[in-house]
Amino acid sequence: MKLINKHSYITLLSFISFIITLPSPISSQACKNSCGNIPIKYPFGTGLGCGDPRFQKYVTCDDQEKLSLLTHTGCYPINNIDYTNQVIYISDPSMSTCSCTQPSKGFGLDWDAPFSFQDDTVFTLLDCSTTSSPIFRNSNNGSIVPQCDRTGAPICSFLYSCQAISRLSLPISTCCVYTPVDLGPAFEMDLQKLQCSSYSGFYSFNGQEDNPENWKYGIALKYKFNVYNDYPSSCANCERSNGVCGYGGVYNSFVCNCPNGFNTTSDCFFGGSYSLGSTLLPWQTGNGLIYSLACFLFWAFL
């Protein structure tokens, strides 16, 4: 066996030190494919570096495994995600329904949020002032004309017949049905500005138009993957290999998070061939990789 000279020894130590200071490209899987009982797929994620960066600040999964939508008007539980039709369904704890009526400040989407209201979503403004609300105006003959969806009159009648609302003895004229297009380009429903005390939202009659107790209350929001609404092929390949789509680096490039601890730029099939059940092999961890490389270099210098 040849003896290692002083110069080679110093070079070896310097190189090993350099390797150790490098960040490990391999880490445990940080992104999960579910949050509570809701499956998580692209473009959503469970934390920083997961899903699509455009959605990361709006959809979050907390430590209690609860998925929520964040906007400037509040935090709203996400009840379900329809990935086929690209719709998320949220609820507003301050929203009035047939079983409960309460004050609310309204709902709004951030102007740059990658969401829009689904066409089936209907908003009903409750207990609006007929004298000061901007949704009412005086006609030429002196009568008050609401700036509401005229076809929504039956909806107001059904809602105001609910026991929780009927106890307030509100005139039917204080109800106004708004469709999402009425909210304007800012998607803002400011009840203080509209001079209404509460609102109700639903996205389906559930086959019972005349029974508001069984309507599906909440808000349905559409989302798009990108301008052309194309599902990224790299992400589809990643998910087919049981990976979770994410992003990283300076330019938020695509990353596939794999169950075996690898983060790849393609899919998890290659990394999966090196896993042994749920146990990682030594070279699948950052320390093991450095140790193996250092040993190889040491013996190469001998």
Side-chain angles (χ1 to χ4, degrees), residues 205-278:
F205 289 108
N206 204 22
Q208 302 182 54
E209 287 80 356
D210 58 350
N211 187 2
E213 291 185 359
N214 290 332
W215 294 352
K216 292 186 177 180
Y217 292 92
I219 303 171
L221 299 174
K222 292 279 291 182
Y223 64 88
K224 295 175 66 175
F225 301 125
N226 45 52
V227 174
Y228 301 103
N229 203 23
D230 296 325
Y231 201 95
S233 58
S234 55
C235 184
N237 294 333
C238 172
E239 291 181 341
R240 275 196 293 268
S241 65
N242 203 30
V244 179
C245 303
Y247 59 93
V250 178
Y251 301 104
N252 288 336
S253 9
F254 169 77
V255 172
C256 182
N257 290 265
C258 301
N260 58 15
F262 276 95
N263 288 342
T264 75
T265 56
S266 55
D267 56 49
C268 301
F269 287 127
F270 178 79
S273 64
Y274 290 95
S275 65
L276 186 61
S278 59

Side-chain angles (χ1 to χ4, degrees), residues 105-138:
K105 63 181 181 180
F107 177 82
L109 289 174
D110 294 4
W111 69 269
D112 59 344
F115 297 100
S116 61
F117 290 103
Q118 188 190 36
D119 293 339
D120 293 338
T121 300
V122 175
F123 294 110
T124 305
L125 308 180
L126 308 176
D127 191 20
C128 302
S129 172
T130 57
T131 57
S132 60
S133 173
I135 64 176
F136 297 100
R137 65 178 178 83
N138 293 323

